[in-house]
Every structure is written in structure tokens, then in C-alpha cells.
Amino acid sequence: MTSPADPAPTGPAAAPVPPPALPPVLAAAPGRVAVVPDPAPEPAAATRTGRRLRDRRAGRNLPAAVAVGVGLGALVAVCLFVRKEAFVVLAAAAIVLAVWELANAFRARRIRIPVLPVVVGSVGMLVSAFAAGVEALLVSFALTAFAVLLWRVLDGPNPVRDVTAGIFTAAYVPFLAAFSLLMLAEPDGPYRVLAFLMVAIGSDIGGYAFGVVWGKHPLAPSVSPKKSWEGLAGSAVFAVVLGVAGVTLALDGPWWAGAALGLAIVLTATVGDLSESLLKRDLGIKDMGSLLPGHGGIMDRLDSLLPAAPVAYLLLTVLVPATS
């Protein structure tokens, strides 16, 4: 036997003694020491609860989304029923921000929208629609398109792509939004806009709820993988119910007009939502902006409202004529 002080036996029969393993905090490449941080502490119960409230499947922070949605709804209602002009100002501010977001998104593909003429034209279209009707809106759009062309041609060579994107922005955002102000200009305008917004927002909420709970069959997987046929069914249910309620209670119209309004808005809002998803996919971005927590940008909230506005205006004009 050897004592602890004796040297280790040597020779061919002696088994090699492996070097002692380094602790994990010292394991590293030769000549370096890797400092591994201590494991993170277990999150508190409140933090875990907050994380559970984030719906990973739908990609939204639910508390923030609900708070922002309620706040925006209250602001819109106050502007609608205090003074019509207040809603015009609110709509103009939202559209200007949306144009700015879209211009920033196009820059990802090196497309430079002439922002100033589009912004000025946007305000002109909204105000002219409210003050003077459809003819003034068309004239304002034509002037905006000409201003975009002239501005970009004078700014430098190869303007075709930028001019096309600028006119597209003017048509997609302020021109479509102006139809809500055509509704507002009617004697019962605040109630018409309210019915339109109720149906459009209800369609979005119904699609979200049904899609999260029951969504299994993708509606357009190559464009927006999270949208499902079950979500579309939820949109239809909510939109028709709210359309009937809005038209009968707020506008004193027939129930079938409300049902028709609901179905039409579901179709156009879904197409608008998918169109913006396709545009974002082509530009390589997830959201148009981050101004609204839990929602994204202004354009991410307007994507379904914009194409639905002219449809709502036409249907309500034909099926529920305005009364003084």
C-alpha cells in the first residue's frame, strides 16, 4: 500500500489518471475562462401570470391590446358626438401617421414616396369629402396624384417606381378613408360612422376569438398563416349581429340591411387584412409600426377599415337613405 504522501505508481501497468474536470463556470477554450451566469431566478407569480396573458398563438399582448382598443374607442365616440369636425381632425391625424408608416415601410425596398405632397393631399381629400362631397374628393385625389408626379420628376431621375408607390399610397390610405367622412357629412352621420365601425371592429374581434379557440384550417397560409376559416366564420357571426343591431337601433333601418352590411364588411375587411399581410410579406416586415402597443402601427389597425369604408358608404346610402 502507498501512503497518501507516496508518489503515484509508474510504469506500463499504471492506468493514466485523467485530469480533474473543471467546474462548468471555468470550462472554456484554452487560455480563456468562460463565466457562465447563474441560472435566472424563478419568475414571480405575477410575472408568470402576465406571460400567460400574452397570447403567443395570436401574437398579441392582450392587456395592452384591450387597453389601447378601449381608449381609442372612447376617443372616437367623443369626437363623433361632440363635434363632427373633431372627428375630421382625428381622422386626418391618423391618416397622416399611416402615410408616414407606409412610406417608412417602402424604404425597406429603396422606394421613396414623395411624403409631403401625399400628406397635404391626404388632408385635402378628407376635408373636401366632408365639406363638399364625392366630386370634391375625386378632384382632390387627381390633384394629389399630379402633385406626386411633379414632385418626384423634379427631384431626380428614374421616378416611375416612386411615383407609382406614391399614387398607390394616396389611393389606398386617404382616398378610401375619405368615404367614412362622406358618411359623417350626412345629417345622421355620427350614427352611420358608428354603425360602420361597430361592424368592422366586431368582425376583427370575432375572427380573432374564433381563430384562437377553434382555428385549425388556414384561410391563406402563404399570405397569413394565422388566419383560419374558423376565424372567418367568427367574423361573419359578430359582424352580422352587430350590423343588425347597429342599423336597426342607430339608423332605424331594416334588419336585413344590417345583415347585408355585416356580410359585405366581413368580405372586404378580410380582403383588406390579407392584402396588407401580403404587402408586409413582400416588404419583409412584421408590423407597419409600433405606435399602438398590442396592435402594431396605425396601418395595422386601418388595414381592414380602409377597403370596407366605401362598401359601407354605398350600402348605407342605397339601403338606409339618410334622414334629416
Side-chain angles (χ1 to χ4, degrees), residues 39-63:
E42 182 69 19
T47 304
R48 292 196 301 268
T49 302
R51 288 179 179 175
R52 283 196 295 266
L53 289 174
R54 294 176 183 267
D55 193 314
R56 294 180 180 177
R57 185 176 181 184
R60 292 189 186 184
N61 182 339
L62 286 182

Side-chain angles (χ1 to χ4, degrees), residues 224-238:
S224 183
K226 293 180 181 178
K227 298 195 180 304
S228 63
W229 286 101
E230 292 81 2
L232 181 61
S235 294
V237 170
F238 274 57

Side-chain angles (χ1 to χ4, degrees), residues 24-314:
V25 294
L26 297 179
R32 296 185 180 179
V33 175
V35 179
V36 180
D38 294 335
E42 182 69 19
T47 304
R48 292 196 301 268
T49 302
R51 288 179 179 175
R52 283 196 295 266
L53 289 174
R54 294 176 183 267
D55 193 314
R56 294 180 180 177
R57 185 176 181 184
R60 292 189 186 184
N61 182 339
L62 286 182
V66 171
V68 170
V70 171
L72 289 176
L75 179 60
V76 167
V78 169
C79 291
L80 276 176
F81 293 101
V82 171
R83 281 193 70 88
K84 290 182 178 181
E85 292 80 4
F87 183 79
V88 176
V89 173
L90 178 64
I95 293 306
V96 168
L97 290 173
V99 168
W100 184 265
E101 288 180 349
L102 197 54
N104 287 335
F106 275 117
R107 287 195 188 101
R109 293 293 184 183
R110 298 182 179 179
I111 300 174
R112 296 185 300 127
I113 294 177
V115 176
L116 184 58
V118 175
V119 166
V120 173
S122 298
V123 176
M125 279 186 266
L126 297 174
V127 173
S128 61
F130 175 71
V134 176
E135 294 82 3
L137 170 60
L138 295 176
V139 171
S140 296
F141 174 72
L143 291 175
T144 302
F146 178 73
V148 168
L149 174 62
L150 183 62
W151 185 283
R152 187 61 188 88
V153 167
L154 296 177
D155 192 34
N158 303 321
V160 175
R161 185 175 60 175
D162 297 343
V163 169
T164 303
I167 295 176
F168 165 78
T169 301
Y172 178 37
V173 185
F175 181 75
L176 294 181
F179 283 89
S180 64
L181 299 183
L182 291 174
M183 287 187 276
L184 182 68
E186 299 289 350
D188 56 350
Y191 294 98
R192 289 176 176 265
V193 176
L194 179 64
F196 157 62
L197 292 177
M198 282 176 53
V199 176
I201 295 172
S203 171
D204 186 39
I205 294 173
Y208 173 78
F210 275 52
V212 168
V213 177
W214 294 295
K216 294 181 180 179
H217 302 87
L219 177 63
S222 62
V223 177
S224 183
K226 293 180 181 178
K227 298 195 180 304
S228 63
W229 286 101
E230 292 81 2
L232 181 61
S235 294
V237 170
F238 274 57
V240 169
V241 170
L242 290 174
V244 171
V247 169
T248 56
L249 298 178
L251 301 176
D252 197 24
W255 68 267
W256 50 267
L261 177 67
L263 291 175
I265 286 182
V266 165
L267 294 177
T268 51
T270 302
V271 170
D273 201 358
L274 292 175
S275 298
E276 201 212 19
S277 296
L278 184 62
L279 179 61
K280 290 189 292 187
R281 182 177 291 269
D282 186 56
L283 295 174
I285 58 177
K286 182 181 183 297
D287 291 321
M288 286 291 183
S290 57
L291 185 62
L292 303 176
H295 294 269
I298 298 292
M299 274 301 301
D300 296 302
R301 290 301 87 210
L302 294 179
D303 56 0
S304 58
L305 296 176
L306 291 174
V311 173
Y313 168 73
L314 292 173

